[in-house]
């Protein structure tokens, strides 16, 4: 992308420059490490870790960054050890595509970044800083200055070693081989691993290493425009959506996954008789999360900036509006009124269907973990109690999210109002929506048993779909043109990167930003995590080549 002039996609009048900047750098509570530490870390070449603002991983720059060397989607926030660097929505949801030297920035689009390489290199950089006395002395001087006392250096070493123990354990057990590659990650596994593996053990490390499993069900980052309007969300569509509380539960779980600090502790009594404190050691920025959700509602789908064959697109629209059996798309991807969960938020129906695509994602949702400090914990307004030894990771996560939301909300009330809530066994009606925030473990099991080894996924409204290649939930199809072919004829291996082909509407064959080729599997390995199988709509069985061309032209206009 070096040297390409950057332009911004037209994403509607509501998406202003000030909102864009806020979206890029708004803190949501992620705390990767003290900023001074990351500035002090180096690469094997001796260059500073932040020397290129992480552009080598695909992260993007903006002149409004809060600190030198901090890319789009990274935040600086106060912490007990000084300013901390973290991640916010824009790191994973800002896209830049390159066509003939033109770089088009698309806010809310699926990022083409190599998150696994970033995590691995950060782990290795801290390992080098701690590998011997000489290396640590250089690191300490860069962090503390040359006049730092021996006590300050010893304290830094203890803190850095503890950080590295936790981070390195997470990386060694989580990161898969082959790697996710640019534009993909297994977010659900990483959230499970982060909460169950790093937060529920005993001090000082809080680790339960055996709760960390390989994150080998990669998905591409979803686009965010219209995300709040879906009445169900997450790739397998297991989460109710469409209200501020449901959005907060969705986003708080995401913060836990991107290094929000969260270490629940036992307590007795308290608001709603909660037997754990979920907010005492929780870095989540609840105000920031609400602001970010409001911003996401303002992001419009990007408008196609190149020429459209209007006559061809009009023919394509008629094809789009056919039934699925006739090669159309409207049954699953048309705009229909969804479930009403907030009188001020209108939603769109989000069908959840198994269309024969890769099933690996569903397998990880039913995994079990040791419950650690949450053993036996119960939220009095929900039916499930966490098991004494083990339980579904999903139950542990839902308890951790909902417990924190409730305690935070009640803790912000006046003393008199809070006192009235002590000892209550039921959640006030204003919080009823949280009962739908996560399905129960039994509901999840039933959902996946019903599809007999397959996996259902959400079918979203396709506005802006042209800007979100590669396709299918796991990014296994390089273009929309390929998606309209039978799985057996789709490209088996392709390079990942920002270069775009506006004829096929997807990734260009030639990519130079990354040295990574995604190798997909066929329908004989449907649970590999990388299968290109399924969603065989609009193929030659239902549409002629001319009809597929017309449909493709129409999809550019959405």
């Amino acid at each position: 992308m070096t040297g390409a002039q950057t332009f911004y996609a037209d994403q509607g009048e509501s998406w202003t420059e000030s909102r864009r900047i806020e979206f890029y750098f708004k803190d949501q509570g992620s705390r990767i490490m003290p900023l001074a530490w990351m500035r002090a870390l180096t690469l094997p070449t001796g260059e500073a870790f932040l020397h290129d603002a992480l552009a080598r991983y695909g992260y993007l720059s903006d002149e409004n960054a809060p600190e030198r060397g901090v890319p789009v989607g990274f935040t600086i926030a106060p912490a007990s050890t000084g300013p901390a660097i973290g991640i916010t929505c824009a790191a994973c949801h800002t896209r830049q595509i390159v066509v003939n030297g033109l770089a088009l920035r698309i806010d809310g689009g699926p990022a083409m970044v190599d998150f696994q390489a970033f995590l691995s290199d950060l782990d290795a950089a801290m390992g080098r800083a701690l590998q011997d006395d000489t290396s640590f002395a250089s690191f300490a001087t860069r962090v503390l200055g040359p006049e730092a006392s021996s006590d300050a250096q010893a304290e830094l070493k203890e803190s850095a070693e503890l950080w590295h123990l936790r981070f390195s354990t997470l990386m060694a057990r989580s990161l898969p081989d082959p790697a996710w590659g640019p534009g993909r990650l297994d977010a659900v596994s990483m959230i499970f691993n982060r909460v169950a593996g790093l937060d529920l053990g005993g001090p000082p490390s809080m680790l339960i290493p055996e709760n960390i499993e390989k994150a080998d069900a990669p998905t591409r980052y979803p686009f965010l425009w219209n995300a709040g309007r879906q009445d169900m969300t997450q790739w397998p569509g297991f989460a109710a959506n469409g209200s501020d509380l449901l959005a907060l539960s969705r986003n708080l779980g995401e913060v836990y996954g991107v290094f929000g600090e969260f270490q629940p502790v036992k307590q007795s009594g308290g608001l709603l008789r909660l037997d754990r404190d979920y907010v005492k050691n929780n870095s989540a920025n609840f105000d920031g999360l609400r602001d970010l959700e409001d911003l996401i509602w303002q992001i419009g789908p990007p408008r196609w900036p190149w020429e459209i064959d209007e006559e061809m697109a009009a023919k394509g629209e008629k094809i789009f509006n056919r039934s699925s059996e006739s090669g159309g798309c409207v049954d699953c991807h048309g705009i229909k009124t969804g479930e009403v969960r907030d009188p001020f938020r209108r939603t769109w129906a989000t069908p959840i269907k198994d269309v024969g695509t890769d099933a690996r994602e569903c397998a990880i949702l039913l995994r079990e973990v040791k419950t650690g400090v949450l053993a036996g914990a119960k939220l009095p307004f929900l039916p499930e109690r966490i098991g004494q030894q083990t339980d579904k990771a999903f139950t542990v996560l839902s308890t951790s999210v909902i417990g924190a939301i409730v305690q935070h909300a009640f803790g912000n009330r006046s003393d008199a109002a809070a006192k009235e809530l002590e000892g209550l066994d039921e959640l006030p009606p204003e919080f009823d929506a949280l009962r739908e925030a996560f399905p129960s473990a039994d509901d999840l099991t039933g959902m996946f048993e019903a599809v007999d080894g397959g996996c259902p996924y959400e079918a979203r409204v396709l506005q802006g779909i042209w800007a979100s290649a590669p396709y299918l939930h796991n990014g296994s199809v390089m273009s929309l043109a390929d998606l309209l072919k039978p799985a057996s004829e789709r490209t088996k291996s392709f390079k990942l990167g920002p270069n775009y082909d506006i004829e096929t509407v997807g990734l260009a064959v030639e990519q130079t930003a990354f040295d990574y080729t995604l190798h997909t599997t066929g329908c004989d390995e449907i649970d590999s995590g990388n299968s290109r199988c399924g969603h065989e709509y609009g193929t030659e069985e239902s549409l002629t080549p001319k009809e597929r061309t017309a449909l493709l032209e129409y999809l550019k206009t959405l």
Side-chain angles (χ1 to χ4, degrees):
M1 285 184 284
T2 303
Q5 186 177 0
T6 302
F7 295 85
Y8 292 87
D10 178 358
Q11 297 188 247
E13 294 181 358
S14 294
W15 194 239
T16 61
E17 182 180 5
S18 61
R19 284 175 172 156
R20 173 187 296 119
I21 295 168
E22 189 176 8
F23 172 69
Y24 282 177
F25 301 111
K26 169 71 71 172
D27 172 52
Q28 63 173 347
S30 168
R31 305 287 184 266
I32 299 175
M33 61 167 47
L35 176 62
W37 293 14
M38 194 175 289
R39 288 209 184 283
L41 293 175
T42 59
L43 299 171
T45 60
E47 294 176 294
F49 191 85
L50 285 172
H51 77 95
D52 64 347
L54 307 182
R56 62 191 181 276
Y57 306 114
Y59 293 105
L60 305 170
S61 62
D62 186 270
E63 62 183 8
N64 297 289
E67 290 270 354
R68 171 183 51 84
V70 174
V72 167
F74 283 71
T75 59
I76 308 299
S80 59
T81 54
I85 187 167
I87 294 176
T88 192
C89 304
C92 303
H93 302 284
T94 305
R95 184 63 176 270
Q96 192 150 292
I97 66 176
V98 179
V99 178
N100 296 326
L102 166 69
L104 184 68
R105 181 78 57 89
I106 302 165
D107 297 324
M112 187 56 70
V113 296
D114 195 339
F115 191 43
Q116 181 165 340
F118 166 73
L119 295 174
S120 296
D121 289 355
L122 186 61
D123 180 27
M126 184 59 83
R128 287 191 297 274
L130 295 170
Q131 66 184 353
D132 54 45
D133 290 344
T134 301
S135 298
F136 177 74
S138 297
F139 173 73
T141 297
R142 290 191 293 272
V143 173
L144 301 172
E147 305 301 324
S149 67
S150 58
D151 286 347
Q153 292 183 40
E155 183 178 349
L156 172 63
K157 188 172 186 179
E158 182 179 6
S159 296
E161 286 177 337
L162 178 59
W163 182 94
H164 189 236
L165 170 65
R166 287 165 49 80
F167 194 84
S168 187
T169 301
L170 180 64
M171 296 306 120
R173 288 177 169 265
S174 296
L175 299 184
D177 183 15
W180 303 322
R184 305 195 316 156
L185 85 160
D186 182 351
V188 172
S189 287
M190 291 303 287
I191 292 171
F192 285 167
N193 288 347
R194 174 68 181 78
V195 172
L198 266 63
D199 293 333
L200 306 184
S205 75
M206 313 303 291
L207 286 166
I208 306 181
E210 53 268 43
N211 278 352
I212 304 173
E213 297 187 5
K214 278 288 179 280
D216 58 0
T219 65
R220 70 167 175 83
Y221 300 101
F223 56 81
L224 291 190
W225 52 85
N226 304 333
R229 291 175 173 81
Q230 299 175 243
D231 63 3
M232 300 298 292
T233 191
Q234 307 300 347
W235 279 119
F238 55 71
N241 197 38
S243 76
D244 290 342
L245 269 179
L246 291 171
L248 183 58
S249 66
R250 159 169 46 90
N251 293 327
L252 181 56
E254 174 261 333
V255 172
Y256 290 163
V258 293
F259 309 107
E261 296 170 356
F262 174 66
Q263 294 175 354
V265 295
K266 292 183 178 181
Q267 68 174 13
S268 58
L271 299 175
L272 289 171
R273 297 179 184 168
L274 288 172
D275 53 7
R276 301 294 188 279
D277 189 330
Y278 300 95
V279 297
K280 180 179 181 180
N281 302 316
N282 194 329
S283 66
N285 182 339
F286 288 86
D287 291 337
L289 286 170
R290 291 188 183 91
D291 290 344
L292 283 163
E293 186 66 19
D294 288 340
L295 287 167
I296 288 168
W297 274 84
Q298 305 302 320
I299 302 177
R303 293 186 173 92
W304 178 267
W306 298 283
E307 186 178 353
I308 293 285
D309 184 330
E310 299 292 348
E311 183 178 352
M312 185 72 73
K315 293 177 181 178
E317 182 177 11
K318 293 178 181 179
I319 297 167
F320 181 93
N321 287 322
R322 293 178 186 174
S323 67
S324 298
E325 291 76 13
S326 300
C329 312
V330 72
D331 290 347
C332 295
H333 299 292
I335 297 177
K336 305 179 185 68
T337 301
E339 192 78 23
V340 178
R341 298 191 175 98
D342 185 318
F344 303 104
R345 300 284 201 195
R346 295 298 180 90
T347 64
W348 292 339
T350 309
I352 311 299
K353 295 188 176 184
D354 176 16
V355 294
T357 51
D358 191 285
R360 181 66 187 156
E361 177 89 350
C362 285
I364 66 174
L365 292 177
L366 298 178
R367 63 183 263 202
E368 295 214 346
V369 295
K370 292 184 176 181
T371 52
V373 72
L374 291 185
K378 186 180 188 304
L379 301 180
F381 43 85
L382 292 179
E384 294 179 309
R385 178 185 293 276
I386 291 182
Q388 289 293 338
Q389 299 297 325
T390 63
D391 209 330
K392 292 284 192 298
F394 215 102
T395 303
V396 170
L397 175 63
S398 62
T399 301
S400 300
V401 168
I402 296 174
I405 290 173
V406 171
Q407 281 184 322
H408 173 78
F410 291 163
N412 283 344
R413 298 190 176 197
S414 67
D415 291 343
K419 189 171 181 61
E420 291 179 5
L421 295 168
E422 290 185 9
L424 288 180
D425 291 324
E426 285 294 327
L427 202 62
E430 65 200 86
F431 288 90
D432 277 350
L434 286 176
R435 300 179 197 278
E436 296 185 89
F438 295 90
S440 68
D442 288 342
D443 288 342
L444 271 179
T445 301
M447 181 190 308
F448 302 140
E449 286 178 347
V451 294
D452 190 25
C455 190
Y457 295 100
E458 63 181 15
R460 293 185 62 176
V461 169
L462 297 185
Q463 290 184 340
I465 191 65
W466 65 267
S468 59
Y471 296 100
L472 295 184
H473 77 281
N474 62 349
S476 59
V477 179
M478 70 183 298
S479 68
L480 286 178
D482 242 19
L483 191 60
L484 295 177
K485 298 176 183 177
S488 60
E489 297 180 17
R490 294 169 183 165
T491 305
K492 296 179 181 179
S493 300
F494 54 92
K495 296 178 181 179
L496 296 174
N499 292 344
Y500 231 65
D501 184 332
I502 61 174
E503 298 302 320
T504 61
V505 191
L507 302 186
V509 172
E510 294 302 321
Q511 303 286 345
T512 57
F514 304 103
D515 182 19
Y516 185 91
T517 299
L518 175 63
H519 300 285
T520 67
T521 65
C523 299
D524 56 332
E525 296 181 67
I526 195 66
D527 61 350
S528 69
N530 294 315
S531 175
R532 63 187 178 278
C533 194
H535 196 277
E536 296 200 11
Y537 298 99
T539 63
E540 70 267 14
E541 293 183 3
S542 53
L543 297 180
T544 67
K546 287 185 177 180
E547 286 176 323
R548 290 200 298 274
T549 299
L551 177 58
L552 193 63
E553 196 71 9
Y554 175 65
L555 292 175
K556 298 174 184 177
T557 71
L558 295 177

